[in-house]
């Protein structure tokens, strides 16, 4: 491959919204499209499904909570393309309401994936983004509901226009620790773990967009957070009004 070939990459793309995004990028994007998934077999099966439709995505394994996996992807992008043009951070998890896993463990695992995993991908891949590149981090409209359910003190912190990445990570650590100690409600948190993690994704996006503007303003890189609302996926269930497409 040549560094002149444009490339778009989607995380968590073997099913659901990520899969639909890869399909549309294959149809509309002028360049290569990389479908990533934690599970190699499922990722390759998704690629074969799109190939049967006449599309040509590439596949690369990516587990966003495994730093070695992220760095292997970085090495691939440097070698094959000299960087990255479009990054869609879609990968996330959510426990179902009936899941018997202890609340504190759900909180730790969901935060580790949805916030820390997305943060690690951004930390490693954003330096590879080429001028006029695009980054989309998938958040959730549930984060707005959760924000309203948090205490006024927490709301003030989350709404701060000057919150730093270090402060945001500190709030994440406090939430996980408060759930372990059984005091998260007393400390002003909401019970909706998924929404709490997505507040952080939105804020992380604002922080990184600000940094990109300060450090690489001339490169005209655009970073946004996207809230797709209720979509029919394995995570959200079959009753949702929106299709992944």
């Amino acid at each position: 491959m040549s560094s002149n070939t444009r490339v778009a990459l989607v995380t968590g793309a073997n099913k659901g919204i990520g899969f639909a995004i890869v399909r549309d990028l294959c149809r509309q994007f002028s360049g290569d499209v990389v479908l990533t998934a934690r599970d190699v077999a499922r990722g390759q099966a998704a690629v074969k499904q799109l190939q049967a439709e006449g599309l040509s995505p590439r596949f690369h394994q990516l587990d966003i909570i495994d730093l070695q996996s992220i760095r292997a992807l970085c090495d691939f992008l440097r070698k094959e393309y000299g960087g990255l043009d479009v990054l869609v951070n879609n990968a996330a998890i959510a426990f179902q309401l009936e899941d018997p896993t202890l609340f504190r463990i759900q909180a730790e695992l969901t935060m580790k994936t949805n916030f820390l995993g997305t943060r690690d991908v951004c930390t490693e891949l954003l330096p590879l983004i080429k001028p006029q590149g695009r980054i989309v981090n998938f958040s959730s409209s549930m984060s707005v509901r959760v924000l309203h359910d948090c205490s006024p003190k927490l709301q003030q912190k989350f709404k701060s226009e000057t919150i730093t990445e270090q402060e945001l990570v500190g709030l994440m650590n406090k939430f996980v620790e408060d759930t372990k100690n059984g005091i998260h409600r007393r400390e002003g948190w909401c019970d909706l773990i998924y929404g709490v993690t997505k507040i952080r994704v939105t804020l992380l996006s604002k922080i990184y967009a600000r940094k990109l503007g300060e450090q690489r303003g001339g490169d005209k890189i655009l970073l946004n957070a996207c809230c797709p609302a209720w979509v029919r996926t394995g995570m959200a269930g079959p009753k949702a009004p929106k299709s992944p497409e």
Side-chain angles (χ1 to χ4, degrees), residues 16-75:
I17 294 174
F19 182 79
I21 291 172
V22 169
R23 176 188 276 132
D24 266 3
L25 282 171
C26 285
R27 291 170 175 166
Q28 301 181 37
F29 180 70
S30 177
D32 288 352
V33 181
V34 180
L35 181 156
T36 72
R38 178 177 55 185
D39 184 280
V40 172
R42 291 178 181 176
Q44 290 176 340
V47 166
K48 288 181 180 179
Q49 182 179 340
L50 292 172
Q51 288 174 338
E53 299 175 15
L55 305 174
S56 302
R58 301 189 71 182
F59 173 73
H60 200 285
Q61 191 274 342
L62 174 65
D63 183 348
I64 69 170
I65 64 171
D66 181 348
L67 197 54
Q68 185 175 351
S69 175
I70 298 172
R71 288 175 176 169
L73 175 63
C74 288
D75 291 342

Side-chain angles (χ1 to χ4, degrees), residues 138-182:
F138 267 74
S139 186
S140 170
S141 53
M142 187 183 291
S143 63
V144 178
R145 173 185 168 188
V146 168
L147 181 61
H148 291 159
D149 287 344
C150 286
S151 67
K153 182 179 179 181
L154 285 173
Q155 288 187 39
Q156 184 179 14
K157 290 180 179 179
F158 288 136
K159 292 179 180 180
S160 169
E161 292 296 326
T162 58
I163 189 170
T164 66
E165 185 175 354
Q166 184 177 4
E167 289 169 337
L168 186 60
V169 172
L171 284 169
M172 179 279 298
N173 290 333
K174 177 170 172 49
F175 172 71
V176 172
E177 194 63 28
D178 287 347
T179 61
K180 289 181 179 179
N181 295 326

Side-chain angles (χ1 to χ4, degrees), residues 80-206:
E80 295 285 311
Y81 301 99
L84 180 62
D85 296 279
V86 176
L87 170 63
V88 181
N89 278 311
N90 166 74
I93 65 168
F95 286 84
Q96 301 300 313
L97 292 175
E98 65 275 10
D99 194 295
T101 305
L102 292 174
F103 186 84
R104 60 181 175 80
I105 296 177
Q106 290 190 29
E108 184 174 13
L109 292 177
T110 308
M111 193 68 74
K112 183 178 181 180
T113 303
N114 297 0
F115 174 69
L116 287 178
T118 299
R119 176 179 178 245
D120 284 346
V121 170
C122 286
T123 298
E124 298 295 327
L125 264 62
L126 257 57
L128 299 183
I129 300 294
K130 297 178 181 179
Q132 300 187 36
R134 298 290 181 262
I135 305 103
V136 179
N137 294 332
F138 267 74
S139 186
S140 170
S141 53
M142 187 183 291
S143 63
V144 178
R145 173 185 168 188
V146 168
L147 181 61
H148 291 159
D149 287 344
C150 286
S151 67
K153 182 179 179 181
L154 285 173
Q155 288 187 39
Q156 184 179 14
K157 290 180 179 179
F158 288 136
K159 292 179 180 180
S160 169
E161 292 296 326
T162 58
I163 189 170
T164 66
E165 185 175 354
Q166 184 177 4
E167 289 169 337
L168 186 60
V169 172
L171 284 169
M172 179 279 298
N173 290 333
K174 177 170 172 49
F175 172 71
V176 172
E177 194 63 28
D178 287 347
T179 61
K180 289 181 179 179
N181 295 326
I183 60 171
H184 66 284
R185 292 292 297 181
R186 191 176 77 197
E187 292 296 305
W189 300 102
C190 173
D191 281 333
L192 296 173
I193 298 169
Y194 179 80
V196 172
T197 67
K198 289 301 188 177
I199 290 176
R200 277 130 168 110
V201 171
T202 299
L203 289 175
L204 189 71
S205 301
K206 293 179 70 173

